[in-house]
Amino acid sequence: MQVSIVCTEQNLRSRISEDRLCGPRPGPGGGNGWPAGVGHGNPPGGGGSGPKGRAALVPRPPAPAGALRESTGRSTGMKYRNLGKSGLRVSCLGLGTWVTFGSQISDETAEDVLTVAYEHGINLFDTAEVYAAGKRSSYVITTKIFWGGQAETERGLSRKHIIEGLRGSLDRLQLGYVDIVFASCSDPNSPMEEIVRAMTYVINQGLALYWGTSQWGAAEIMEAYSMARQFNLIPPVCEQAEHHLFQREKMELQLPELYHKIGVGSVTWSPLACGLITSKYDGQVPDTCRATIKGYQWLKDKVQSEDGKKQQAKVMDLLPITHQLGCTVAQLAIAWCLRSEGVSSVLLGVSSAEQLMEHLGALQVLSQLTPQMVMEIDGLLGNKSHSKK
């Protein structure tokens, strides 16, 4: 079961004197539930490779710890959006720590990334439950339910697993409730009515405040919403979906319609297609990239496949635009995802504070993406989604 954390803007201000993220780095084993060592001062500089002029797109260093307040985003350019049409506010860029807290980097580096993200206005953290057991009032915490243990009753979206899995997660996190529980992956073995009733039950019991879906199809989300309306139950508020320059149809054709019809928003992940959308490959696999790590053979195969080579060629075609904007390919790709209608937040996967600082520069690229420039990008990619109606 995975866990996400959202630090609400209101509580950023109210908990300044308590959270180690906002103060000096304490000694090991400090007491608020975040990893020991989280909370040092200035982050590393802009980092990342790219054309000259990109430095202007890197956010300024964070303010001193005592100055961190509700308006954090104002000094860094961070924007906040509603999660779908709910009242929950999340940063438009989140941190997806499936890379940051992976085994290939040190705990200290991971903590540095987390601190830099927090200090630069990111309040949405999608991560494992390893460090989420903290003081409850500062964070909006979400958990994903689908993959549990090995037994048949310990996975899927049956009423039994949803309720027991959530309670087990709360016990591990030492929490009374989570803010959002996500049904991760659709489950053909569980009737939709059972899923919606189970989600409504955990909300009514005070175990969660909202529920959402992850990697569901548009028809399944609409079915869940219709089921909720038919039986006076609680519908989902958002969908987590993969979205990048080469994965477009769901975000361009399906989810915007759901956003307007029923208010379901989107939290997207993999804006760089697991690192494929950078200029570092250029027809080969560098020794320092993720594709060379044990367990990532699938990524190396993807890079070296015919489709992968064609996509890399398309990425290189974007370089004139990045030079025109004075940004990196990664910044352009992230900003391109942010412009999509109904997107509440784009989750970043980074392995260093320098890489995170570079990616945060996408906020300034977003303001420069004119309709004409978007049309030029669509023309170079040649894969814009078109409605079949």
Side-chain angles (χ1 to χ4, degrees):
M1 191 176 297
Q2 291 181 317
V3 175
S4 303
I5 299 175
V6 181
C7 307
T8 60
E9 294 176 77
Q10 178 180 358
N11 287 316
L12 282 175
R13 179 175 60 184
S14 66
R15 292 296 301 280
I16 220 127
S17 62
E18 299 181 42
D19 287 338
R20 271 189 287 148
L21 283 173
C22 306
R25 183 188 294 269
N32 71 347
W34 291 87
V38 174
H40 68 298
N42 295 329
S49 59
K52 292 182 179 180
R54 184 202 56 74
L57 296 174
V58 175
R60 70 188 72 177
L68 188 63
R69 57 190 185 277
E70 183 177 357
S71 59
T72 298
R74 298 174 193 168
S75 62
T76 63
M78 184 60 65
K79 306 296 181 184
Y80 298 89
R81 300 174 179 178
N82 284 58
L83 185 63
K85 293 188 178 179
S86 75
L88 184 62
R89 299 281 286 176
V90 295
S91 53
C92 68
L93 290 178
L95 184 64
T97 54
W98 55 88
V99 175
T100 308
F101 285 88
S103 59
Q104 63 267 35
I105 64 174
S106 68
D107 290 344
E108 182 179 2
T109 298
E111 292 168 4
D112 288 345
V113 171
L114 182 64
T115 304
V116 171
Y118 189 95
E119 291 175 338
H120 282 77
I122 288 179
N123 74 351
L124 174 59
F125 298 86
D126 188 81
T127 181
E129 58 203 37
V130 59
Y131 67 86
K135 293 184 178 179
R136 179 64 189 86
S137 62
S138 288
Y139 318 115
V140 175
I141 300 178
T142 77
T143 186
K144 294 177 186 172
I145 291 181
F146 189 89
W147 303 108
Q150 297 299 316
E152 286 294 321
T153 57
E154 294 178 334
R155 56 180 181 265
L157 297 175
S158 67
R159 177 183 175 91
K160 177 179 174 65
H161 184 224
I162 288 174
I163 296 173
E164 292 182 351
L166 179 55
R167 283 177 172 161
S169 182
L170 291 175
D171 288 343
R172 286 188 295 273
L173 296 171
Q174 300 178 23
L175 295 172
Y177 68 96
V178 294
D179 295 88
I180 307 175
V181 55
F182 282 98
S184 184
C185 306
S186 58
D187 181 6
N189 297 317
S190 298
M192 186 61 71
E193 181 179 348
E194 179 177 348
I195 296 172
V196 179
R197 284 191 181 278
M199 290 298 187
T200 300
Y201 174 84
V202 298
I203 291 174
N204 288 339
Q205 292 295 308
L207 303 177
L209 302 181
Y210 303 90
W211 77 278
T213 60
S214 180
Q215 301 186 68
W216 281 32
E220 294 166 322
I221 297 171
M222 181 59 80
E223 183 184 357
Y225 177 86
S226 300
M227 196 69 66
R229 286 292 175 256
Q230 180 181 353
F231 296 106
N232 196 28
L233 303 173
I234 299 174
V237 297
C238 72
E239 156 69 7
Q240 287 193 354
E242 182 180 5
H243 182 222
H244 50 74
L245 292 169
F246 304 111
Q247 184 79 21
R248 305 181 54 168
E249 183 174 353
K250 185 175 183 179
M251 285 302 307
E252 293 181 350
L253 299 183
Q254 301 175 17
L255 294 184
E257 185 175 2
L258 290 181
Y259 175 74
H260 288 292
K261 282 186 176 180
I262 61 177
V264 170
S266 305
V267 174
T268 69
W269 49 277
S270 197
L272 303 182
C274 296
L276 287 175
I277 303 176
T278 65
S279 55
K280 65 184 179 183
Y281 289 104
D282 192 19
Q284 56 186 353
V285 180
D287 293 337
T288 57
C289 77
R290 200 188 323 168
T292 61
I293 299 174
K294 183 179 180 180
Y296 281 85
Q297 182 62 41
W298 61 270
L299 181 56
K300 185 174 183 179
D301 293 341
K302 187 174 182 179
V303 172
Q304 296 176 332
S305 68
E306 287 302 314
D307 285 343
K309 292 177 181 178
K310 290 178 181 178
Q311 290 176 357
Q312 286 306 299
K314 296 289 186 182
V315 169
M316 301 307 291
D317 289 341
L318 296 175
L319 290 180
I321 297 178
T322 64
H323 284 91
Q324 180 182 346
L325 294 174
C327 68
T328 65
V329 171
Q331 290 172 332
L332 177 63
I334 294 167
W336 180 89
C337 292
L338 280 171
R339 52 165 268 288
S340 297
E341 187 178 30
V343 171
S344 300
S345 186
V346 173
L347 299 176
L348 307 175
V350 299
S351 56
S352 68
E354 291 86 354
Q355 190 179 36
L356 174 60
M357 291 292 289
E358 177 198 341
H359 290 183
L360 287 172
L363 293 169
Q364 296 178 50
V365 178
L366 178 61
S367 63
Q368 301 178 57
L369 274 185
T370 63
Q372 293 77 13
M373 194 165 290
V374 172
M375 289 179 61
E376 184 179 353
I377 293 172
D378 287 340
L380 291 172
L381 296 175
N383 63 352
K384 183 177 180 179
S385 302
H386 296 283
S387 175
K388 298 178 181 178
K389 293 182 180 179

